[in-house]
Amino acid sequence: MSQSDSASHAARTHIRAIIDDALRAVDPREAVCRHVEIEGDRIVVAGVPHGLLPDARIFVLGAGKGSAAMAEGLEEILGEQITGGHVTVKDGHGRPLKRISIGEASHPMPDARGVDEAEKALLVADSLREGDIAFCLISGGGSALWPAPVAGVSLADKQAMTQALLSCGASIDEINAVRKHLSRIKGGHLAQTACPATLIGLVISDVPGDRLDVIASGPTCPDESTYSDALGVIQKYRLGGRVPKAVLRHLQAGQDGVHAETPKPGDEAFQAVQNVVVANNRMALGAAAGSARDLGYKVRIVSGNQVGDAVALAGEIAAEIGRWRQADDPSPTCLLWGGETTMVLPTDHGEGGRNQHLALCVASQVAGDPSVTFVSVGTDGTDGPTDAAGGIIDGGTAGRVRAAGLDVSQELRACNSHRALLAAGDLLITGPTMTNVMDLQILLLEAPPG
């Protein structure tokens, strides 16, 4: 192994260690245990006490990639005090639970199992009475896992709408503004159904700014978006021709006042609701920064709220590399980004995801540079509909893609990053992490030996 290859191997080992430390900081079970405790006849959540009446029942609901691991933590704390409950996870994201049952459904495209799962949650919520306490464990993926279409809109309609929204480059708050106005559980409707019981939302944030009304489409909190906003998203991205007629009819009728709006701030449904963000991207970034410092890198968090086009971020990363090269004494440096970029997919696109696409973009810009190692990773272990969490690249990646008979520029145009990175041996595969706090980008810069 050459000195350059040895340095690249060391940098990749460092990146994996940094990722592992970041994920440990947002472990769902630990996050719940940090925020919930029993004090005598009270449950204390993030410092707020909730008294337990003698005949009070405690139920647990949840949806998201991390909800089973969160439920595991809640069972550890509450044990036999839990009356029952049910959480919904993405396929393969279950955990062994004792008092809370688990169902699986499809993500990111909703399926019939998810419809059944949402109905189970609504039935439990509807059975609650005053004095009961219900925990709602929410994490990324909850929107797809709990599809509860309004009357007149079918699952197939929601699937077509979801596909159009995911491929047009819309932000998560725009996507969820539409979802909330096609659902009987999202946009505060679960809280409305659970009223007058006490509802405690424990939330792992997978959206920029930790907006509770956007995470999993906000089933436990007020919704400030409107039917008009939902229609505005469709108009903005020119989706009219791709949106099922039933969806357009429902949204237009809602705008005209035929359907009630989602519950807004001040609604009585939220008088007995507490929502707490127990883990987010900021926590992961902080842990990543600490890990990199321990490894001897000079560290800077460039952005903790990264949004926008993935290709644009690749350009910013290239500019940061240029500034580092021009430094009088370029020390080993770790630059960090956190957030969630977007992509606009062509009609006939290949396989990949925003993290793999970003990694391949950076690889094309640093070809032949032995000082660069970079990763873009989805903290949930999934990037797009693939088996990869993202891509980990260095200055040799573009050459390895070419050696496999592929053209980097052509693969980027076709949004076929998965094939290119697979050919280079540069896919990052973690398997399900059971959490989801958006994405991390880690750039290691170190002058090669000699």
Side-chain angles (χ1 to χ4, degrees), residues 4-5 8-9 12 360 363 366-369 372-374 392-408 419-427:
S4 178
D5 289 341
S8 175
H9 176 76
R12 286 169 176 255
L360 189 60
V366 302
D369 188 341
V372 176
T373 309
F374 172 78
I392 180 168
I393 64 92
D394 55 36
T397 296
R400 291 191 290 275
V401 173
R402 286 195 298 272
L406 302 175
D407 181 271
V408 173
R419 178 170 71 172
L421 292 173
L422 176 63
D426 287 348
L427 288 174

Side-chain angles (χ1 to χ4, degrees), residues 175-263:
I175 292 172
N176 285 356
V178 179
R179 283 169 159 168
K180 284 183 281 193
H181 287 86
L182 299 172
S183 174
R184 293 177 291 112
I185 197 168
K186 301 176 176 65
H189 285 305
L190 182 67
Q192 205 171 45
T193 305
C195 186
T198 295
L199 183 62
I200 301 170
L202 302 180
V203 182
I204 294 179
S205 172
D206 70 328
V207 304
D210 299 340
R211 286 182 53 190
L212 289 166
D213 63 316
V214 178
I215 302 165
S217 297
T220 64
C221 63
D223 176 33
E224 296 190 1
S225 72
T226 65
Y227 282 104
S228 294
D229 293 329
L231 284 168
V233 173
I234 292 170
Q235 294 163 359
K236 176 180 177 180
Y237 293 98
R238 301 178 181 178
L239 299 177
R242 300 174 60 187
V243 174
K245 292 180 180 178
V247 168
L248 285 176
R249 279 197 302 268
H250 181 82
L251 295 179
Q252 288 165 348
Q255 184 181 50
D256 294 339
V258 175
H259 305 307
E261 260 292 355
T262 48

Side-chain angles (χ1 to χ4, degrees), residues 14 38 49 60 71 80 83 98 115 145 180 190 220 237 248-249 321 334 357 366 368 389 424 437:
H14 288 169
I38 295 289
V60 180
E80 294 184 358
T83 305
K98 298 175 181 177
V115 175
L145 294 169
K180 284 183 281 193
L190 182 67
T220 64
Y237 293 98
L248 285 176
R249 279 197 302 268
I321 295 170
C334 173
H357 192 79
V366 302
V437 293

